[in-house]
Amino acid sequence: MILAPSILSADFGILAEQIKKCEKAGATWLHIDVMDGHFVPNISFAMPVIKSIRKYTDMFFDVHLMITEPERYINDFIDCGADGVTFHVEATDFADRCIEMIRSRGKLAGISLNPNTPVNAIIPYIEKVDMALVMSVEPGYGGQKYIDSVNRKIKYLREIKGDYFKIEVDGGITADNIDTAIDAGANIIVAGTSVFKGDIEENIKRLTR
Ligand code: DX5
Ligand code: ZN
């Protein structure tokens, strides 16, 4: 299991310091949420922030694009330091092109779906991507409650894709429910609030125990 702390819930005034703490506690992935105020109601941050933090760590930058027409920006996000780029199936008419753009640059390609999007929406692309990101909250904000019904989608994807495929779950993960997501078949776990609220190193230890 890989834990991917989501910096959306970090203190941006001391972001580099907080990332170092994640690294020290053993995290190898960093989940980076990009929001455009269009595909989702919220706006977060984009290239300048990613480029800045790239200097401070070699962690895997797992960039989650919650933006309309991701094909317009994929190359820019790779240029500023993304190791993996995940886009939403709902956000583009050109999913195949997005996958090709990411993979042609040697990066990990992920496809994501919202809680209300049926898993069938990503099936046409599932053989072409490296990872499926199953949203377990409505995208846009940290600190929401995990939607249990998404476990069915995770189980289904695990069944059809076998043991080694990357299935990431994102939203509402806590020390109390992390096991249900893992039992369903998720092997990459995003956690924002439950990592950054309080003591980062202790929180990561509790989540990865
Ligand atoms: C939500 C983002 C998540 C968010 C998770 O739209 O995609 O990555 O940071 O935050 P928590 O873990 O607090 O639900
Ligand atoms: Zn995310």
Side-chain angles (χ1 to χ4, degrees):
M1 186 269 278
I2 293 172
L3 182 78
S6 166
I7 58 167
L8 188 64
S9 302
D11 179 343
F12 284 83
I14 48 167
L15 187 53
E17 222 172 88
Q18 298 210 324
I19 291 169
K20 280 283 161 210
K21 283 188 180 167
C22 293
E23 213 175 354
K24 206 173 147 212
T28 54
W29 279 40
L30 201 63
H31 187 79
I32 300 178
D33 286 311
V34 178
M35 304 180 181
D36 67 351
H38 185 265
F39 179 68
V40 289
N42 200 6
I43 299 176
S44 59
F45 55 81
M47 298 83 170
V49 171
I50 301 173
K51 202 174 164 192
S52 301
I53 58 176
R54 188 70 281 182
K55 298 195 289 279
Y56 296 98
T57 178
D58 291 326
M59 289 170 88
F60 184 94
F61 277 11
D62 172 34
V63 174
H64 177 194
L65 297 181
M66 286 163 276
I67 66 174
T68 303
E69 297 179 6
E71 60 275 9
R72 295 171 62 201
Y73 297 103
I74 283 169
N75 276 316
D76 297 311
F77 283 103
I78 293 173
D79 290 341
C80 71
D83 296 300
V85 178
T86 297
F87 64 92
H88 272 259
V89 68
E90 304 91 349
T92 179
D93 293 327
F94 306 101
D96 278 317
R97 189 155 109 208
C98 291
I99 295 164
E100 177 52 30
M101 288 177 82
I102 302 164
R103 299 207 61 169
S104 69
R105 298 213 36 201
K107 306 300 174 188
L108 180 148
I111 193 161
S112 182
L113 76 173
N114 287 341
N116 292 326
T117 300
V119 72
N120 281 343
I122 63 166
I123 295 301
Y125 311 106
I126 206 74
E127 296 304 324
K128 302 168 194 163
V129 292
D130 304 293
M131 180 169 89
L133 194 182
V134 176
M135 287 305 301
S136 44
V137 298
E138 284 301 326
Y141 300 92
Q144 304 181 75
K145 195 181 165 308
Y146 190 88
I147 300 171
D148 291 305
S149 58
V150 306
N151 289 339
R152 266 185 281 129
K153 291 189 210 177
I154 298 172
K155 275 191 190 124
Y156 177 71
L157 289 168
R158 181 56 69 208
E159 264 167 44
I160 62 169
K161 287 295 295 179
D163 286 348
Y164 299 105
F165 187 64
K166 289 184 173 64
I167 302 178
E168 183 173 47
V169 62
D170 184 8
I173 292 285
T174 66
D176 293 328
N177 65 15
I178 189 167
D179 289 338
T180 58
I182 294 169
D183 290 345
N187 52 4
I188 301 172
I189 312 284
V190 177
T193 311
S194 61
V195 165
F196 288 98
K197 196 175 170 207
D199 187 308
I200 293 171
E201 288 169 69
E202 264 175 35
N203 288 341
I204 290 180
K205 281 189 187 119
R206 195 173 319 124
L207 287 161
T208 52
R209 82 205 173 279

